[in-house]
Amino acid sequence: MAEGFTDDSRKAPNPGLQAVAAVVLVAAVVGGVWKLGGGFRQHSGDGGPAACSRSDDSLPAKYVSGARLCEALNRPDLPTLLGTPEDRAVAAWGSGNWVTLAGGEKIASPEATVTLKTYSVKVEASYDRLRVTEAARLLGGDAQRTTLSGHPAVLYSDRTFSLGFDGTRATTGPGGAARCLLVARDAKDGGGSFEVTVWRQDAGLPDDAALRRVAERVLPSVVPGWTGA
């Protein structure tokens, strides 16, 4: 760990979906990739954006890989889609994960995150059988049913937590709000989903329009057979 390193706020698992969908504890991921030395690929200082890290995906070919998600998310126009065209990516990584549910079933849950100076953006796939319309009921609260290019979707808020290091130990604390868009893999909502999440480094409220713009550009490029308006 780099002494004095302070990480951005990270999205915490959503308790409403944790029992039925794939959830990865981001704190463990952050700690693991720094120890391995190959997780985050930081900005190189040459004026260009961060490159996606090499992924250690072990998922079968029928699933989208973390590397592919990172490639799709780490677009040259990502800052513009987020409404901060002067910004640039400073770290990018993807990974392929298996998550074991309470009954012992394992499901694929690849993900990728791109961090900019203003925003962080995460996209993850879940290959469970949960329909987005069912997830909307579980989320409750401020969850709003919507659509994205003809696919059922739900927009909701989550909280982030901050992760830092004081040189000898890790410290955690409350972070800001994250806005999440959960989108069905197909227009018929047959089960499984992709989720795009944005949060600000300054703990301010993320822009919903920016979230939708990112999802509209990224998801069609990574979802096999994507169809929609």
Side-chain angles (χ1 to χ4, degrees):
M1 303 290 182
E3 184 173 349
F5 168 78
T6 300
D7 192 33
D8 324 295
S9 294
R10 302 293 174 188
K11 178 177 176 288
N14 183 284
L17 293 180
Q18 189 171 11
V20 290
V23 175
V24 177
L25 290 176
V26 181
V29 175
V30 171
V33 295
W34 274 85
K35 286 181 180 178
L36 290 173
F40 280 112
R41 184 65 55 82
Q42 290 186 291
H43 188 269
S44 61
D46 60 2
C52 286
S53 66
R54 294 188 302 273
S55 173
D56 59 352
D57 284 336
S58 58
L59 300 178
K62 66 179 180 178
Y63 302 116
V64 64
S65 69
R68 179 71 188 93
L69 289 175
C70 188
E71 177 186 344
L73 183 59
N74 193 27
R75 315 165 47 98
D77 64 347
L78 181 61
T80 299
L81 295 175
L82 290 168
T84 54
E86 72 289 347
D87 213 341
R88 64 183 179 183
V90 296
W93 63 277
S95 65
N97 302 300
W98 290 100
V99 174
T100 303
L101 302 183
E105 179 185 6
K106 291 186 176 182
I107 59 174
S109 183
E111 64 178 57
T113 300
V114 174
T115 299
L116 302 93
K117 291 184 177 180
T118 304
Y119 276 103
S120 281
V121 189
K122 180 178 181 180
V123 59
E124 53 191 318
S126 180
Y127 289 90
D128 56 17
R129 292 181 292 275
L130 181 69
R131 293 183 173 87
V132 167
T133 50
E134 296 171 343
R137 290 195 295 270
L138 292 171
L139 287 166
D142 70 341
Q144 303 171 15
R145 295 190 187 191
T146 182
T147 60
L148 184 85
S149 301
H151 291 228
V154 58
L155 180 68
Y156 70 98
S157 296
D158 206 345
R159 301 299 300 178
T160 67
F161 63 90
S162 63
L163 172 64
F165 299 94
D166 63 5
T168 59
R169 61 187 179 87
T171 59
T172 61
R179 290 294 281 168
C180 315
L181 187 64
L182 190 69
V183 184
R185 290 175 56 203
D186 58 71
K188 294 182 179 180
D189 197 13
S193 59
F194 281 79
E195 185 172 61
V196 180
T197 304
V198 298
W199 63 96
R200 292 182 60 94
Q201 313 300 6
D202 61 5
L205 187 65
D207 180 20
D208 285 352
L211 171 60
R212 291 189 67 96
R213 285 195 298 267
V214 172
E216 287 170 347
R217 293 294 183 90
V218 171
L219 294 186
S221 67
V222 296
V223 181
W226 176 278
T227 58

PDB file of all heavy atoms in Angstrom, residues 113-126:
ATOM      1  N   THR A 113     -14.374  -0.722 -13.375  1.00  0.00           N
ATOM      2  CA  THR A 113     -14.484   0.617 -12.803  1.00  0.00           C
ATOM      3  C   THR A 113     -13.472   1.541 -13.467  1.00  0.00           C
ATOM      4  O   THR A 113     -12.326   1.148 -13.675  1.00  0.00           O
ATOM      5  CB  THR A 113     -14.231   0.606 -11.286  1.00  0.00           C
ATOM      6  OG1 THR A 113     -15.186  -0.242 -10.641  1.00  0.00           O
ATOM      7  CG2 THR A 113     -14.338   2.008 -10.693  1.00  0.00           C
ATOM      8  N   VAL A 114     -13.911   2.739 -13.801  1.00  0.00           N
ATOM      9  CA  VAL A 114     -13.023   3.780 -14.300  1.00  0.00           C
ATOM     10  C   VAL A 114     -13.154   4.970 -13.357  1.00  0.00           C
ATOM     11  O   VAL A 114     -14.262   5.429 -13.071  1.00  0.00           O
ATOM     12  CB  VAL A 114     -13.371   4.195 -15.742  1.00  0.00           C
ATOM     13  CG1 VAL A 114     -12.511   5.387 -16.181  1.00  0.00           C
ATOM     14  CG2 VAL A 114     -13.162   3.028 -16.701  1.00  0.00           C
ATOM     15  N   THR A 115     -12.030   5.450 -12.872  1.00  0.00           N
ATOM     16  CA  THR A 115     -12.001   6.580 -11.946  1.00  0.00           C
ATOM     17  C   THR A 115     -11.453   7.808 -12.655  1.00  0.00           C
ATOM     18  O   THR A 115     -10.403   7.743 -13.299  1.00  0.00           O
ATOM     19  CB  THR A 115     -11.141   6.261 -10.719  1.00  0.00           C
ATOM     20  OG1 THR A 115     -11.702   5.144 -10.028  1.00  0.00           O
ATOM     21  CG2 THR A 115     -11.068   7.455  -9.778  1.00  0.00           C
ATOM     22  N   LEU A 116     -12.184   8.908 -12.549  1.00  0.00           N
ATOM     23  CA  LEU A 116     -11.745  10.190 -13.072  1.00  0.00           C
ATOM     24  C   LEU A 116     -11.563  11.139 -11.896  1.00  0.00           C
ATOM     25  O   LEU A 116     -11.845  10.789 -10.755  1.00  0.00           O
ATOM     26  CB  LEU A 116     -12.764  10.755 -14.068  1.00  0.00           C
ATOM     27  CG  LEU A 116     -13.089   9.869 -15.285  1.00  0.00           C
ATOM     28  CD1 LEU A 116     -14.301   8.995 -15.017  1.00  0.00           C
ATOM     29  CD2 LEU A 116     -13.331  10.730 -16.515  1.00  0.00           C
ATOM     30  N   LYS A 117     -11.108  12.338 -12.168  1.00  0.00           N
ATOM     31  CA  LYS A 117     -10.912  13.289 -11.081  1.00  0.00           C
ATOM     32  C   LYS A 117     -12.231  13.714 -10.458  1.00  0.00           C
ATOM     33  O   LYS A 117     -12.302  13.991  -9.263  1.00  0.00           O
ATOM     34  CB  LYS A 117     -10.142  14.513 -11.593  1.00  0.00           C
ATOM     35  CG  LYS A 117      -8.698  14.223 -11.954  1.00  0.00           C
ATOM     36  CD  LYS A 117      -7.957  15.487 -12.358  1.00  0.00           C
ATOM     37  CE  LYS A 117      -6.501  15.202 -12.652  1.00  0.00           C
ATOM     38  NZ  LYS A 117      -5.749  16.430 -13.043  1.00  0.00           N
ATOM     39  N   THR A 118     -13.287  13.766 -11.273  1.00  0.00           N
ATOM     40  CA  THR A 118     -14.583  14.221 -10.769  1.00  0.00           C
ATOM     41  C   THR A 118     -15.501  13.067 -10.409  1.00  0.00           C
ATOM     42  O   THR A 118     -16.163  13.095  -9.376  1.00  0.00           O
ATOM     43  CB  THR A 118     -15.282  15.107 -11.818  1.00  0.00           C
ATOM     44  OG1 THR A 118     -14.423  16.191 -12.167  1.00  0.00           O
ATOM     45  CG2 THR A 118     -16.596  15.655 -11.268  1.00  0.00           C
ATOM     46  N   TYR A 119     -15.556  12.048 -11.248  1.00  0.00           N
ATOM     47  CA  TYR A 119     -16.477  10.932 -11.089  1.00  0.00           C
ATOM     48  C   TYR A 119     -15.729   9.609 -10.998  1.00  0.00           C
ATOM     49  O   TYR A 119     -14.582   9.486 -11.449  1.00  0.00           O
ATOM     50  CB  TYR A 119     -17.412  10.834 -12.292  1.00  0.00           C
ATOM     51  CG  TYR A 119     -18.628  11.714 -12.250  1.00  0.00           C
ATOM     52  CD1 TYR A 119     -18.681  12.891 -13.000  1.00  0.00           C
ATOM     53  CD2 TYR A 119     -19.748  11.370 -11.499  1.00  0.00           C
ATOM     54  CE1 TYR A 119     -19.816  13.697 -13.000  1.00  0.00           C
ATOM     55  CE2 TYR A 119     -20.880  12.167 -11.489  1.00  0.00           C
ATOM     56  CZ  TYR A 119     -20.915  13.325 -12.240  1.00  0.00           C
ATOM     57  OH  TYR A 119     -22.030  14.110 -12.230  1.00  0.00           O
ATOM     58  N   SER A 120     -16.411   8.603 -10.498  1.00  0.00           N
ATOM     59  CA  SER A 120     -16.069   7.204 -10.723  1.00  0.00           C
ATOM     60  C   SER A 120     -17.287   6.551 -11.353  1.00  0.00           C
ATOM     61  O   SER A 120     -18.439   6.907 -11.037  1.00  0.00           O
ATOM     62  CB  SER A 120     -15.712   6.486  -9.423  1.00  0.00           C
ATOM     63  OG  SER A 120     -14.394   6.794  -9.014  1.00  0.00           O
ATOM     64  N   VAL A 121     -17.042   5.613 -12.257  1.00  0.00           N
ATOM     65  CA  VAL A 121     -18.117   4.914 -12.947  1.00  0.00           C
ATOM     66  C   VAL A 121     -17.844   3.419 -12.880  1.00  0.00           C
ATOM     67  O   VAL A 121     -16.711   2.982 -13.123  1.00  0.00           O
ATOM     68  CB  VAL A 121     -18.228   5.342 -14.428  1.00  0.00           C
ATOM     69  CG1 VAL A 121     -19.490   4.753 -15.047  1.00  0.00           C
ATOM     70  CG2 VAL A 121     -18.222   6.851 -14.564  1.00  0.00           C
ATOM     71  N   LYS A 122     -18.862   2.664 -12.563  1.00  0.00           N
ATOM     72  CA  LYS A 122     -18.731   1.217 -12.461  1.00  0.00           C
ATOM     73  C   LYS A 122     -19.818   0.551 -13.294  1.00  0.00           C
ATOM     74  O   LYS A 122     -20.965   1.002 -13.306  1.00  0.00           O
ATOM     75  CB  LYS A 122     -18.864   0.778 -10.998  1.00  0.00           C
ATOM     76  CG  LYS A 122     -18.747  -0.724 -10.770  1.00  0.00           C
ATOM     77  CD  LYS A 122     -18.845  -1.040  -9.288  1.00  0.00           C
ATOM     78  CE  LYS A 122     -18.720  -2.514  -9.013  1.00  0.00           C
ATOM     79  NZ  LYS A 122     -18.809  -2.822  -7.560  1.00  0.00           N
ATOM     80  N   VAL A 123     -19.450  -0.495 -14.008  1.00  0.00           N
ATOM     81  CA  VAL A 123     -20.432  -1.310 -14.715  1.00  0.00           C
ATOM     82  C   VAL A 123     -20.205  -2.752 -14.312  1.00  0.00           C
ATOM     83  O   VAL A 123     -19.060  -3.211 -14.224  1.00  0.00           O
ATOM     84  CB  VAL A 123     -20.324  -1.124 -16.254  1.00  0.00           C
ATOM     85  CG1 VAL A 123     -18.950  -1.499 -16.768  1.00  0.00           C
ATOM     86  CG2 VAL A 123     -21.404  -1.934 -16.975  1.00  0.00           C
ATOM     87  N   GLU A 124     -21.267  -3.455 -14.005  1.00  0.00           N
ATOM     88  CA  GLU A 124     -21.158  -4.855 -13.598  1.00  0.00           C
ATOM     89  C   GLU A 124     -22.309  -5.649 -14.203  1.00  0.00           C
ATOM     90  O   GLU A 124     -23.395  -5.111 -14.462  1.00  0.00           O
ATOM     91  CB  GLU A 124     -21.142  -4.983 -12.071  1.00  0.00           C
ATOM     92  CG  GLU A 124     -22.293  -4.311 -11.355  1.00  0.00           C
ATOM     93  CD  GLU A 124     -22.076  -4.254  -9.848  1.00  0.00           C
ATOM     94  OE1 GLU A 124     -21.602  -5.257  -9.275  1.00  0.00           O
ATOM     95  OE2 GLU A 124     -22.388  -3.220  -9.248  1.00  0.00           O
ATOM     96  N   ALA A 125     -22.043  -6.908 -14.436  1.00  0.00           N
ATOM     97  CA  ALA A 125     -23.045  -7.803 -15.010  1.00  0.00           C
ATOM     98  C   ALA A 125     -23.401  -8.862 -13.980  1.00  0.00           C
ATOM     99  O   ALA A 125     -22.537  -9.310 -13.217  1.00  0.00           O
ATOM    100  CB  ALA A 125     -22.503  -8.466 -16.275  1.00  0.00           C
ATOM    101  N   SER A 126     -24.660  -9.252 -13.950  1.00  0.00           N
ATOM    102  CA  SER A 126     -25.098 -10.332 -13.075  1.00  0.00           C
ATOM    103  C   SER A 126     -25.871 -11.346 -13.910  1.00  0.00           C
ATOM    104  O   SER A 126     -26.832 -10.988 -14.598  1.00  0.00           O
ATOM    105  CB  SER A 126     -25.981  -9.790 -11.944  1.00  0.00           C
ATOM    106  OG  SER A 126     -26.394 -10.850 -11.096  1.00  0.00           O
TER     107      SER A 126
END
